[in-house]
Amino acid sequence: MAFNSETAAIRFGTGLSAKIAPPASVDDMLARLKGPDAMAERFPIGHFAQVEELMEKIRKLNKLRREDPDKRVEVQQRIGKLRNQAQRQQIEWLRAHMARSIFTEDGLRERLVRFWADHFTVIGKKSMWRFAVSTYVEDAIRPNITGNFAELLKTATFHPMMLMFLDQVNSVGPNSVVAARTPKRGINENLAREVLELHTLGVDGAYTQNDVFELAKLFAGLTYRRKGGFTYDAKMSEPGPETVLGKAYGGYIQDLFHVTDFLDDLAVHPDTARHLARKLVVHFISDDPDAALVAHVAAAYRDSGGDLMATYRAMLTHEAAWAMPAEKVKQPIDFVTSSMRALGVKEKKFAELKWKKIRTYVIAPMGLMGQMWENPTGPDGWAEEAEHWITPQGLAARIQWAMTVPTQLRSKLPEPVALAKTALGTRLSLELLQACDDSVDNADGVGLVFASPEFQRN
Amino acid sequence: MSISRRKFLKRAGLLGCSAAASPLLTPMSFAALPSDNRLVVIILRGGMDGLDVVQPYGDAALKGLRPTLKAGEAAGASDLDGFFALHKGLKDLMPLWDKGELGFAHAASTPYRDKRSHFDGQDLLEAGLGMDGLGRVRDGWLNRMLQVIPGVEPQTGFAIGREEMLVLTGGAPVSNWSPDTHMNLSDQSRRLLERIYHDDPLFNASVAEAIELAEVLDPKMVETDADGDDAAMMKQQMMASMRGGAHKRVAEFAANRLKENTRVAAFSINGWDTHNNQRQALRGGLSRLQDTILILKKQLGDVWGKTAVVAMTEFGRTARENGTRGTDHGTGGAMILAGGAIAGGKVFGEWPGLTEADLYQGRDLRPVMDVRDVSATVMQGLFGLDQSLLEGAIFPGLEMTGALRLTR
């Protein structure tokens, strides 16, 4: 079995739609992906600099509060307003993120953005950074998903959100200039460990605790400054050299290029190829992936020196990518957006939906489905396994959403059987068809379509 | 979450409310169990720093290892026994300590060593296996305990919260629910859902359990008319689910189930990965843990006397403070034991010391106790389980020391 457009839309895209044609071929999918990013233009998401500006305002207000205690109440109120503004902004960015999936002709791009954003998970831990994750994805991930993995790795690793999330910003070499001045300061291993364990080699990869520590020393100096953004501060860095994975880096001038050299080497490590290939295949095709397919994708990655387009092409041209039965389960964000896409939600209506309704119809229910938007429990991001999502409570939340939210999104609901044909094509089962006929009303019928296993699996 | 794991029985369709008899079932009779006791297992995800929570402030080496993370009275901690002090974030638990309803197992760890990954660490913690179990994780030890107890019903074991709990997942039928979840279905939709899920074992098992639980837990919600109130009700439920204090709702829910026919409950408390500015970073987790234990005690009433709460984490943290006033991933850590069934007022474990030579790999608190041994000993005390079952079916490969007396 090879390419078919239905699987292309469901497994590798954002779902079927009555109005938007599915991809015509693998070449078509890859050409769109390589082409201009139309959705980013049409549904803009802000940049990290906007959140930095907001942070700057808050810093000034805090300063004012310290200097003039009489203004405390006023300052408190103004900070509260800024926080609300940031929260609203985060919701608007979610709206744009969803709109891209609902209205795109280039679904693979949206799926890959989510895949890589999850691979390089960041969580905003405090203040306005809590609302800044979308801007990190927009600035660091989205523009780099069609180039070389090394670029993506470096951009994500050096982004302020990553440096803050994994506590790199204050880590200094034990023999650095800074540590000589303030002996209590030193190394923090967090980013070094996760770069090896999660972002490149994988936990089964060829590294040891000692590599983690050596890499943490090599990373010392990577930091984020209010003014100037990402910075390599030689005064924070360890004189070196540090030997990581058997090779020495640094040891003469202290400079960022030692770190980039290391990340370039790491990107083409065979364990990285294997780990990334497996993750891609698990995300798109099977929780229990075909070993030959993984090997095929890993080989393409290795042979191309980490070229992501070549890697995707290898996955998409392998027979198993299309032949595997649909056993994955959509994550809540994919479940919700593909439902809206099939439902034919109108662009204008979606754009005008009050932000509070985005909370009630999307953010809260996704939380109950197990996906708190931009807030996974750890740096490993969201789970892949179907069993993780289809728990009694998670499934109940999906059913509840399917039965109640669609009526709020369309003034007139589609007829369930027609919707089922749109959303599922040839995957529509006789049981579901019969159930649509037997449902008490359109709302319940539509609910059954979205609640069905064939819609939730991809 | 890493991905090479968890081939649950669910996939094969073996799991669900009507799970058939497990091959591990033994001929032990229900009457042989003092089954009126309760066990609550709390997974503290992120790697709790045992040295900061139960501070060995009597060990002279501690100060040198931790220049800014203070311990003992200097940190507002409560003295426990002259050697250990309890972090001030748990000070409201001191009355329990005084009554002997709170204890700790220190320098404890799972068999997990060296790579210090949260995710592999949590897998081994919940699977209850040795290092050779990595990559072969199928089910959780708490579920395997239920597999050896005859007469277990779906609500005997209850996993609570929005996340899957591996520790309670496996071949024995258990319940999974979140206090914020509601499912309002018409009779007809329920029947139709059962029909469309019939051939998909995972969806079929989950929906059967969801329908049953929604009926038991939220009876007035299950049956609604198809008239306009759905939207208002949904809005109300959704807003409620976003309110803070989710951990308190979980604790209350657990207590309510445990007062009924639930005997084993499991849930998570997150937020222990304190690499940076630990004094601040540890507050949230500790306050959630303290709230949880206090709510359980209060809500359980008389049942508290028959209850053991065991809180455990995937690993402890480095003995030395790191360069950013936090701690990195380590090995030995602490477990928290609470409840009227616990023989507390004691820090269990032979203190390994904190000098350079004492530390594991010159860096971490050396484990002197296996987390599984502590869990097994508590389960033996509560449920009278045979040692052979504990060392075989439940924790394969464990050798219980028999040295601990943890329950009344």
Side-chain angles (χ1 to χ4, degrees), chain B residues 365-380:
Chain B
L365 178 62
R366 179 177 300 282
V368 296
M369 216 184 316
D370 190 324
V371 164
R372 300 176 301 168
D373 194 8
V374 175
S375 304
T377 306
V378 169
M379 293 195 294
Q380 191 173 38

Side-chain angles (χ1 to χ4, degrees), chain A residues 58-294:
Chain A
I58 290 196
R59 277 200 193 92
K60 280 188 185 136
L61 285 169
N62 280 327
K63 188 160 169 263
L64 184 65
R65 174 164 53 186
R66 281 193 303 273
E67 285 166 4
D68 188 351
D70 290 350
K71 293 221 167 105
R72 221 180 35 141
V73 175
E74 187 205 327
V75 166
Q76 208 66 34
Q77 279 171 351
R78 285 169 65 189
I79 289 181
K81 267 192 188 154
L82 288 173
R83 182 169 301 120
N84 288 344
Q85 192 187 322
Q87 227 162 353
R88 291 272 295 279
Q89 192 61 259
Q90 183 190 31
I91 293 175
E92 289 312 317
W93 291 333
L94 169 59
R95 188 201 304 266
H97 178 85
M98 293 174 70
R100 292 172 180 184
S101 286
I102 299 170
F103 302 110
T104 188
E105 296 181 354
D106 178 13
L108 178 60
R109 185 192 303 270
E110 304 306 326
R111 293 289 307 284
L112 284 167
V113 167
R114 280 198 279 279
F115 171 78
W116 289 115
D118 183 68
H119 181 77
F120 290 108
T121 287
V122 302
I123 302 167
K125 287 198 289 200
K126 60 181 184 184
S127 195
M128 297 303 117
W129 307 132
R130 276 201 290 267
F131 312 114
V133 177
S134 298
T135 68
Y136 153 81
V137 176
E138 194 70 3
D139 293 345
I141 304 294
R142 192 171 179 103
N144 292 305
I145 60 167
T146 56
N148 192 291
F149 178 74
E151 281 312 304
L152 180 59
L153 173 64
K154 285 181 281 190
T155 316
T157 306
F158 298 158
H159 193 281
M161 287 296 284
M162 183 66 81
L163 296 175
M164 288 190 279
F165 172 47
L166 293 178
D167 305 309
Q168 186 61 42
V169 283
N170 294 318
S171 181
V172 305
N175 301 302
S176 64
V177 176
V178 171
R181 275 202 310 255
T182 37
K184 277 176 186 172
R185 296 192 61 183
I187 284 293
N188 185 313
E189 292 180 358
N190 203 7
L191 179 67
R193 178 183 309 282
E194 303 306 8
V195 163
L196 297 176
E197 177 184 331
L198 297 176
H199 302 160
T200 58
L201 304 176
V203 73
D204 301 324
Y207 71 95
T208 63
Q209 171 59 41
N210 194 52
D211 290 313
V212 171
F213 187 63
E214 289 296 305
L215 179 56
K217 286 193 290 180
L218 182 63
F219 275 176
L222 302 179
T223 191
Y224 167 57
R225 294 275 154 77
R226 271 171 64 196
K227 289 175 183 152
F230 164 62
T231 304
Y232 182 81
D233 182 345
K235 290 199 184 72
M236 295 167 75
S237 73
E238 183 71 359
E242 286 85 29
T243 300
V244 196
L245 306 175
K247 187 173 162 185
Y249 296 86
Y252 46 111
I253 59 167
Q254 282 147 274
D255 192 278
L256 180 62
F257 73 77
H258 299 303
V259 180
T260 54
D261 280 354
F262 169 74
L263 292 174
D264 285 334
D265 289 346
L266 188 60
V268 294
H269 193 289
D271 289 352
T272 301
R274 203 173 308 127
H275 179 59
L276 296 179
R278 187 181 163 87
K279 261 194 98 164
L280 262 171
V281 173
V282 164
H283 183 73
F284 283 96
I285 299 163
S286 170
D287 292 344
D288 196 2
D290 181 284
L293 173 57
V294 173

Side-chain angles (χ1 to χ4, degrees), chain B residues 267-279:
Chain B
F267 52 88
S268 311
I269 298 179
N270 300 335
W272 304 94
D273 197 19
T274 52
H275 287 277
N276 195 54
N277 194 8
Q278 178 163 309
R279 255 174 68 191

